[in-house]
Amino acid sequence: MPESLVPESPCRFCATPLRFTFADLGMSPLCQSVVRPEKSEHAEAFYPLHAYVCENCLLVQLKEYVSPADIFTEYAYFSSFSDSWVDHAGRYADAMVKRFGLGADSKVVEIASNDGYLLQHFRRMGIPVLGIEPAANVAEAAVDKGIPTLVRFFGSQTAREASETEGKADLLLGNNVLAHVPDLMDFVTGMKIMLNPKGVITMEFPHLLRLMEENQFDTIYHEHFSYFSFSTVEKVFQSRGITLFDVEELPTHGGSLRIYGRHEADVSKPLTPNVERLRALEREAGLDRLDVYLRFNERVKETKRKILELMIAAKREGKSVAAYAAAGKTNTLLNYCGLGVDFIDYSVDRNPYKQENLLPGSRIPIFSPDKIRETRPDFLFIGAWNLKDEIMAQTEYIRQWGGKWIVPIPEARVYP
């Protein structure tokens, strides 16, 4: 039902007033911002974590409560700390070089290039690269790897300036960045400006269909302003003269899409059968009907109840619980479910930038993974469930003392 007490805001694509709830996760702090120990007794800012669906274009989105500058100027996420993600980036680089014939006379530009986890693969092959990354602390790590990086937010102005000083891109890519921009149309305009006439755009982002079918509500957080189906993202790019000529389904982040775009006038890259296949898949799932989106919120509430039942039972039995991964999705889940140090003793993360700090909202302390061996918890709560297999392999040793894993999504489950 439309919200009667919440001021309406316009859809960031079609400007239709947002009236319908997709998922209401209450109030939450910024999930990628750790709390320093010296600030442990200070208040945090909490913002509505309320996702809406546009009744016209069906874009799922958050309102812009916090500016990108407040979120991304200093960022705690470093891509290189996930081995599987770095491997994924390497396979991508090999595939793009082979498919599009990239070489020493090509230019690869990555938007939101993080710590150079991906561009390093192209650089090793002798292909000129450029990273564009707004977080100075993360960009510094990329520069240390030898990746030239502009510390800028990407949009039409940055694209014009970078095109003039650095040259246009033969391959323009962005992994898990499209969802992070509130001014979506200026961002896509910038990509068109930055792309060579025969160049290719690739973007990867979590697929809204998988979010809905696999109950991945914890991927909703303030850093993610938009949540895309293929049908909706196709319209967004088309409105700026970019044709999506191919699309792949990927297993990353619980199920993602990789879209391939080209200038509308570039007829050298015809549409592949994958485009119509994805359109049909989403129609079959009902993603062209508003009522399908409106049913998701109740499923989210029921999942919360099941997680709490499992955690309450564990604590009543006197079991100890630690959490693995201080990821954004972990923080969304903990804050929505109200899980603090009364349920979870501590969390661990491989990222030293997060260690010896506190999780936002829940204020659960963060340590190195070595802490697990020291304390031997009965349960390891895997917050970054998209890395479940990697984390379970890394922590296989908990079986030595009878430890088990709790994976909360898509449904709360204990792995022996």
Side-chain angles (χ1 to χ4, degrees):
M1 294 293 293
E3 302 293 329
S4 59
L5 299 179
V6 179
E8 294 177 356
S9 298
C11 170
R12 60 177 43 93
F13 173 41
C14 70
T16 300
L18 297 174
R19 304 187 302 134
F20 291 91
T21 292
F22 175 70
D24 186 354
L25 305 181
M27 302 290 288
S28 184
L30 299 180
C31 69
Q32 290 284 12
S33 301
V34 295
V35 177
R36 305 296 180 190
E38 62 270 19
K39 300 289 186 181
S40 62
E41 296 183 353
H42 294 211
E44 287 178 82
F46 280 63
Y47 307 92
L49 193 52
H50 190 155
Y52 293 83
V53 56
C54 175
E55 61 194 281
N56 180 40
C57 69
L58 300 177
L59 175 63
V60 173
Q61 58 203 282
L62 297 180
K63 297 178 182 180
E64 185 183 351
Y65 298 105
V66 191
S67 73
D70 291 332
I71 298 173
F72 298 112
T73 301
E74 183 176 5
Y75 205 44
Y77 180 75
F78 289 71
S79 297
S80 291
F81 287 107
S82 171
D83 296 336
S84 61
W85 188 241
V86 174
D87 291 343
H88 170 76
R91 292 190 298 271
Y92 164 84
D94 291 339
M96 295 305 102
V97 169
K98 182 178 180 180
R99 179 171 181 178
F100 299 114
L102 301 174
D105 58 347
S106 305
K107 186 65 170 284
V108 176
V109 178
E110 183 179 11
I111 305 167
S113 50
N114 203 265
D115 59 4
Y117 76 102
L118 188 150
L119 290 180
Q120 64 183 344
H121 298 291
F122 287 104
R123 183 175 178 273
R124 287 170 186 159
M125 290 184 274
I127 300 171
V129 300
L130 174 68
I132 302 176
E133 168 59 51
N137 65 312
V138 179
E140 183 179 356
V143 172
D144 289 343
K145 291 186 176 80
I147 307 299
T149 305
L150 298 179
V151 182
R152 296 281 299 273
F153 282 98
F154 185 80
S156 58
Q157 182 177 345
T158 295
R160 290 188 191 96
E161 295 174 1
S163 295
E164 293 175 0
T165 60
E166 307 289 341
K168 292 181 180 288
D170 297 293
L171 176 62
L172 178 62
L173 69 111
N175 288 345
N176 300 305
V177 61
L178 193 61
H180 289 69
V181 289
D183 195 343
L184 178 62
M185 304 319 296
D186 181 69
F187 186 88
V188 178
T189 298
M191 285 192 282
K192 182 172 178 61
I193 293 169
M194 193 79 196
L195 188 67
N196 264 329
K198 296 292 184 180
V200 172
I201 292 169
T202 74
M203 305 292 290
E204 294 182 22
F205 49 84
H207 190 189
L208 179 62
L209 176 61
R210 297 300 164 218
L211 185 156
M212 295 172 68
E213 288 190 340
E214 300 178 25
N215 199 28
Q216 300 167 359
F217 66 87
D218 57 341
T219 59
I220 298 172
Y221 39 91
H222 298 108
E223 289 86 341
H224 288 173
F225 294 98
S226 303
Y227 304 81
F228 297 101
S229 67
F230 177 72
S231 302
T232 297
V233 82
E234 187 177 28
K235 294 173 185 174
V236 170
F237 277 81
Q238 188 177 47
S239 72
R240 290 299 184 263
I242 300 173
T243 298
L244 301 187
F245 66 91
D246 197 7
V247 57
E248 298 176 53
E249 292 183 277
L250 306 173
T252 53
H253 295 289
S256 297
L257 294 181
R258 177 187 292 153
I259 56 173
Y260 293 77
R262 49 131 169 115
H263 286 291
E264 196 172 43
D266 178 12
V267 296
S268 66
K269 303 174 184 68
L271 268 64
T272 72
N274 289 337
V275 172
E276 180 51 40
R277 184 181 65 80
L278 255 294
R279 292 172 183 161
L281 179 68
E282 293 185 346
R283 286 195 301 269
E284 184 179 347
L287 264 62
D288 57 345
R289 303 200 319 269
L290 180 64
D291 65 291
V292 172
Y293 295 83
L294 300 185
R295 291 198 290 266
F296 186 67
N297 196 40
E298 185 52 43
R299 186 179 180 190
V300 170
K301 295 175 185 176
E302 179 58 21
T303 302
K304 174 179 178 176
R305 290 188 280 264
K306 290 180 178 179
I307 291 171
L308 285 172
E309 287 171 357
L310 189 156
M311 296 296 286
I312 289 170
K315 298 309 291 183
R316 282 181 173 161
E317 292 174 5
K319 304 297 185 182
S320 57
V321 183
Y324 196 109
K329 56 174 55 68
T330 308
N331 292 318
T332 288
L333 189 69
L334 296 179
N335 282 291
Y336 174 58
C337 293
L339 297 174
V341 291
D342 49 346
F343 285 96
I344 296 175
D345 300 330
Y346 62 87
S347 62
V348 302
D349 200 279
R350 292 177 64 191
N351 185 348
Y353 188 85
K354 296 182 179 182
Q355 294 168 10
E356 308 301 326
N357 293 296
L358 306 170
L359 292 179
S362 65
R363 302 296 179 93
I364 296 170
I366 310 167
F367 298 103
S368 159
D370 295 339
K371 187 78 170 177
I372 298 170
R373 292 184 185 275
E374 295 174 14
T375 64
R376 300 163 67 95
D378 297 304
F379 291 102
L380 197 57
F381 185 98
I382 300 181
W385 48 262
N386 56 306
L387 301 176
K388 170 177 69 71
D389 294 339
E390 179 180 338
I391 291 172
M392 290 177 71
Q394 291 172 357
T395 58
E396 175 69 20
Y397 56 83
I398 71 171
R399 295 182 187 274
Q400 297 172 8
W401 58 81
K404 300 177 181 180
W405 297 270
I406 296 174
V407 180
I409 299 295
E411 300 290 340
R413 178 180 172 187
V414 175
Y415 286 78

